[in-house]
Amino acid sequence: MPSVVNRAPWGLVVLVATLIYVPVSAPAEGVPLPGLSTSASIVRDSNHVPHLCAGTERDAFVLLGYVHAEDRLFQMDSQRRKFSGDLAELVGPEALGSDVEFRSFGLRRSAEASWAAYVEGGLTSSTEALQAYADGVNAYLAENPLPPEYAALELTSARPWTVIDSLTILKGILLELSFDLSDLERSVAAAAYQEAGDRGGFDGMALLFDDVARFAPFDPTVSIPAAVPAAGQGRGSYTAPAPAVTKLARTTRDRLANVPSLARALRPEKRDVGSNWWLVDGAHSASGRAMLANDPHLGLGTPSTFHEAHLVVSADARCGLPEDPGGEATASTLDANGVALPGVPGLVQGCNQRICWGSTVNPVDVTDIYLETLVVDAESGVPTHTIFEGTPEPLTVLPQSFRTNQIGDGRLDHLEPVSVDPAEGGSTLLVPRRNGGPLLTTDLSAQPAVGLSVQYTGWSGSTEVEAFLGIMGAGSLAEFEDALEFFDTGSQNWAYADVDGNIAYVASGELPIREDLQELGAPDGGVPPFMIRDGAHDLRHEWAPVTQPQPHQSLGFEVLPASEMPRLVNPPSGYIVNANNDPAGATLDNDLLNQTRPGGGVLYLGTDYSSLRIGRIDRLLRDVLAEGQKATLGDMKRIQGNHQMLDAELLLPFLIKAFANGSAEGAPAELRALTAEPAIAEAVARLADWDFSTPTGLPQGYDPGDDPDRLPEPGAEEIRASVAATLWST
């Protein structure tokens, strides 16, 4: 018989072939919930976090899909539409530009390839979880009113949920974390600096890469201090792109900058996202237990990127919570709590009864942009082939159709077709050689015609849901790392802690090997992977073919083995830190291409690491653990709430020294004039007396340690620090 959701007035859940979720004082009612094979229950605790208890894992994911739809349906629908390239059908014509770009990227195509990988790989746990999750979403959709956003958008329905929707959202989130278009910006800058150097008689490329846009971190703290690889022959000199390449790069950059999700990929250093974690092992904690502090501070949105949940699978399908009048549940085959991504089954960060895990993004370079030489059909004026090693290779042409929601005309569900010129996105041109990646831009007036294509590891089908499920059930580091073999796209720095006091750092994700770096030991033609590369193979810029396939590899090119990815277990220091930083010090000398792999070739990881957050956390942890002290939960909270600016701490001594030099005998007139200005003297005095903290200084402002329900009046010291922080930041 179908299970039924009973909304009873008493506030708890009991399910006997019946799912019960109860807001207090709600009238009793029955809602069909097909798909449950056994009893199941949902308990909402005092923070409204759902505890999902079922007799089978499949039923647990039905429940997860149901509560995600109940809490986040519009968010889920918006996400699947954005990444599928049909958001304009929901929110109107303003989203058409985004739709054109995401339809070109083909994340839904990649999601379909992922589903095939799950099915053909026999990953039944994942296929069942994905289908069960979709069943749960659709059970909610079938019998509940839509959220109020739909009425405002003059829509009366949301299309049923599918497994491809879940995989498209996952592909999209991973793309936002790992897709990198900074090759465009860097190539434009390199051409400008080279031209300026040619005119001014200096080395423009040296000015750019050794001074203005250095790769070396601001602070040299790394996660694995002893792991810096041996230096090789060095990068050599870089070559600026030709004018035709620069023109294409500038056109593409300017167009993509209008799509918010992609603008971040153009300037990764400007992203408003990032994450921290740190681990302390059991031997260095006051409790004798390992501790993990994880702060995945992705951009703040309403609602949040994450959704908290607790999943329990046990024979009696009871949660065993204090609120549960039935008492303790029987032994569980799964008992995990943490955060999920609405729209996707599985917990991405959390704890089970044996381990806890967290993550930060590992910004390795998994995207390359190529200059392609095109063959154009004389009759239609449409590109049909790219040239590789002098031979035409056919493009794949995908016609696209778009519709937009006509909001405000008083007609419900009024979607109108929109005509988009083939050259403007009405047709997607894919380059099979580029992992199925698209042509981003073309210049058909050039002789010969040219275009830019983008190759990205995420275009492949991949199996990250299998990793989520494996991690949720892992009971040891070995099982945890086995699960990570399925996490291929969107490289992560994973934090691991277990009940035995162990801690570990493991990096996952598939990083392509570039043929010139591996075989020549240097970028061919002086064009590194972080600038636009040659697609005709006049230079050896291809991703290398597979010779040593890795376990469960999804990318059809050679990738860096897991044994060469950053990894650290139970270090003598007793702690490990990561905050999107260079984990092993490959960038410390500002040369990304002078580290060697064990068997030869260049070890190239990426360009866009952070440094200041790990520097602050590491200093605070060293202070906590100094002279044999042991860390407490309170220490972890204080570190998490720290808001001191490390850049100010490192740079202010130079500023203060420069101010003092202004009054010294023989000081330059300009400096002497500056230091004589009262406002500048006051500003420097305030900065010199500052502890680098950044409190709000406002009665309405929340600062770490405040009671959010009764915000205190700021004291004089807090106001002084706020003024100094404002001076520094502006």
Side-chain angles (χ1 to χ4, degrees):
M1 61 176 282
S3 300
V4 174
V5 178
N6 287 326
R7 299 184 180 274
W10 39 278
L12 273 201
V13 186
V14 189
L15 230 183
V16 186
T18 296
L19 170 68
I20 299 175
Y21 155 66
V22 225
V24 175
S25 302
E29 58 179 304
V31 181
L33 183 61
L36 289 179
S37 59
T38 63
S39 299
S41 58
I42 298 176
V43 175
R44 296 274 189 172
D45 64 23
S46 58
N47 291 315
H48 207 62
V49 173
H51 301 260
L52 314 175
C53 308
T56 67
E57 284 196 20
R58 188 192 180 284
D59 286 356
F61 288 113
V62 171
L63 304 189
L64 186 63
Y66 187 90
V67 299
H68 277 181
E70 185 171 44
D71 293 351
R72 302 288 189 88
L73 179 61
F74 187 74
Q75 178 189 21
M76 293 160 59
D77 197 9
S78 301
Q79 289 279 76
R80 67 170 166 177
R81 287 182 173 278
K82 178 176 78 170
F83 296 130
S84 296
D86 58 12
L87 183 61
E89 295 183 17
L90 184 69
V91 301
E94 292 79 6
L96 187 59
S98 171
D99 284 351
V100 167
E101 303 302 343
F102 278 109
R103 198 75 66 86
S104 172
F105 287 171
L107 294 177
R108 199 164 185 88
R109 295 191 300 272
S110 301
E112 291 166 351
S114 293
W115 178 246
Y118 287 108
V119 173
E120 294 166 9
L123 304 179
T124 54
S125 293
S126 291
T127 56
E128 289 179 0
L130 284 158
Q131 187 58 60
Y133 183 91
D135 292 345
V137 176
N138 290 328
Y140 180 82
L141 273 172
E143 297 295 339
N144 289 278
L146 292 173
E149 292 93 337
Y150 290 89
L153 296 171
E154 299 176 348
L155 296 172
T156 62
S157 64
R159 67 184 184 221
W161 200 263
T162 70
V163 297
I164 303 301
D165 292 328
S166 291
L167 294 174
T168 300
I169 287 178
L170 182 54
K171 279 288 184 182
I173 290 172
L174 294 174
L175 176 133
E176 289 186 334
L177 297 177
S178 62
F179 186 61
D180 176 11
L181 292 169
S182 61
D183 297 4
L184 296 169
E185 188 75 45
R186 204 171 283 114
S187 295
V188 170
Y193 274 74
Q194 184 66 57
E195 181 180 355
D198 291 344
R199 293 182 180 185
F202 60 87
D203 187 340
M205 297 294 274
L207 176 62
L208 176 63
F209 290 112
D210 294 340
D211 188 355
V212 177
R214 289 174 61 80
F215 296 114
F218 194 89
D219 178 81
T221 308
V222 297
S223 300
I224 313 176
V228 179
Q233 66 188 53
R235 75 185 190 201
S237 59
Y238 295 149
T239 302
V245 181
T246 308
K247 176 185 175 183
L248 282 170
R250 188 178 291 111
T251 300
T252 309
R253 177 200 63 185
D254 294 347
R255 188 186 79 240
L256 296 179
N258 294 317
V259 181
S261 294
L262 301 178
R264 291 192 293 267
L266 291 166
R267 299 288 300 274
E269 77 281 5
K270 299 293 185 183
R271 286 175 175 164
D272 59 349
V273 300
S275 301
N276 310 322
W277 59 246
W278 59 93
L279 295 150
V280 176
D281 67 27
H284 291 78
S285 76
S287 67
R289 298 174 181 268
M291 293 192 290
L292 161 62
N294 190 191
D295 175 13
H297 52 270
L298 301 181
L300 290 176
T302 304
S304 164
T305 301
F306 298 111
H307 181 281
E308 189 175 355
H310 176 203
L311 280 72
V312 178
V313 177
S314 64
D316 63 5
R318 288 217 311 270
C319 291
L321 298 175
E323 300 97 324
D324 187 345
E328 292 297 319
T330 57
S332 304
T333 57
L334 175 68
D335 187 345
N337 63 82
V339 292
L341 300 169
V344 182
L347 301 179
V348 297
Q349 296 171 338
C351 298
N352 61 29
Q353 296 303 300
R354 285 282 312 166
I355 74 168
C356 289
W357 69 98
S359 62
T360 67
V361 170
N362 182 20
V364 293
D365 188 353
V366 294
T367 313
D368 280 345
I369 297 176
Y370 289 88
L371 177 70
E372 307 285 359
T373 303
L374 305 176
V375 176
V376 180
D377 179 68
E379 213 171 289
S380 66
V382 174
T384 58
H385 295 74
T386 60
I387 300 296
F388 187 80
E389 295 181 347
T391 302
E393 295 186 342
L395 294 163
T396 301
V397 182
L398 299 178
Q400 305 287 0
S401 61
F402 299 91
R403 299 188 303 170
T404 64
N405 184 14
Q406 303 300 299
I407 305 166
D409 62 2
R411 297 171 59 185
L412 298 178
D413 303 318
H414 183 198
L415 305 182
E416 283 288 341
V418 178
S419 177
V420 177
D421 187 272
E424 301 296 326
S427 287
T428 296
L429 301 177
L430 302 181
V431 185
R433 174 173 294 280
R434 302 289 165 237
N435 200 29
L439 278 176
L440 293 172
T441 307
T442 60
D443 182 356
L444 305 186
S445 65
Q447 296 297 325
V450 291
L452 295 181
S453 67
V454 59
Q455 184 158 319
Y456 165 61
T457 58
W459 305 146
S460 297
S462 55
T463 54
E464 288 77 21
V465 170
E466 184 75 8
F468 296 154
L469 301 186
I471 292 171
M472 288 170 59
S476 66
L477 179 58
E479 292 176 357
F480 180 75
E481 292 189 274
D482 286 346
L484 291 182
E485 291 178 355
F486 294 93
F487 200 97
D488 296 333
T489 306
S491 181
Q492 298 287 301
N493 301 295
W494 294 95
Y496 167 95
D498 65 29
V499 295
D500 298 318
N502 299 302
I503 60 172
Y505 161 36
V506 183
S508 73
E510 294 184 351
L511 175 60
I513 301 296
R514 281 77 173 181
E515 62 172 346
D516 54 343
L517 301 187
Q518 183 61 29
E519 298 169 12
L520 305 179
D524 197 4
V527 182
F530 44 82
M531 292 170 62
I532 294 171
R533 311 206 88 193
D534 167 50
H537 214 215
D538 295 330
L539 300 173
R540 304 184 67 180
H541 289 171
E542 295 297 297
W543 289 2
V546 177
T547 59
Q548 301 176 30
Q550 300 301 300
H552 310 296
Q553 180 175 331
S554 65
L555 187 65
F557 301 90
E558 188 82 347
V559 300
L560 192 71
S563 61
E564 295 183 47
M565 292 287 275
R567 182 179 184 273
L568 183 63
V569 180
N570 291 331
S573 66
Y575 71 91
I576 313 173
V577 183
N578 188 272
N580 309 118
N581 54 279
D582 176 352
T587 62
L588 297 188
D589 60 359
N590 198 48
D591 190 342
L592 306 184
L593 303 178
N594 69 339
Q595 312 295 337
T596 56
R597 295 182 58 200
V602 173
L603 176 66
Y604 168 61
L605 297 178
T607 63
D608 298 312
Y609 292 108
S610 302
S611 65
L612 291 168
R613 284 176 285 121
I614 186 177
R616 173 60 70 203
I617 297 165
D618 188 80
R619 286 162 171 78
L620 293 169
L621 270 174
R622 277 190 275 128
D623 289 344
V624 166
L625 298 174
E627 299 178 0
Q629 298 181 83
K630 297 196 174 185
T632 67
L633 182 61
D635 293 326
M636 301 298 99
K637 290 181 179 180
R638 281 190 292 276
I639 294 173
Q640 200 117 51
N642 182 272
H643 54 103
Q644 290 176 289
M645 302 179 73
L646 183 58
D647 59 341
E649 181 178 341
L650 297 176
L651 276 178
L652 264 178
F654 297 95
L655 180 64
I656 293 167
K657 177 67 172 175
F659 181 81
N661 289 343
S663 58
E665 186 177 349
E670 295 91 340
L671 181 59
R672 193 164 54 251
L674 281 173
T675 58
E677 291 188 24
I680 289 180
E682 179 190 354
V684 172
R686 286 180 177 274
L687 292 170
D689 191 39
W690 179 38
D691 66 354
F692 319 116
S693 65
T694 60
T696 63
L698 301 171
Q700 304 88 345
Y702 174 82
D703 293 305
D706 286 353
D707 179 350
D709 296 320
R710 307 180 76 176
L711 293 173
E713 287 288 327
E717 183 178 346
E718 181 182 320
I719 292 172
R720 283 196 299 272
S722 179
V723 172
T726 303
L727 288 168
W728 176 257
S729 297
T730 56

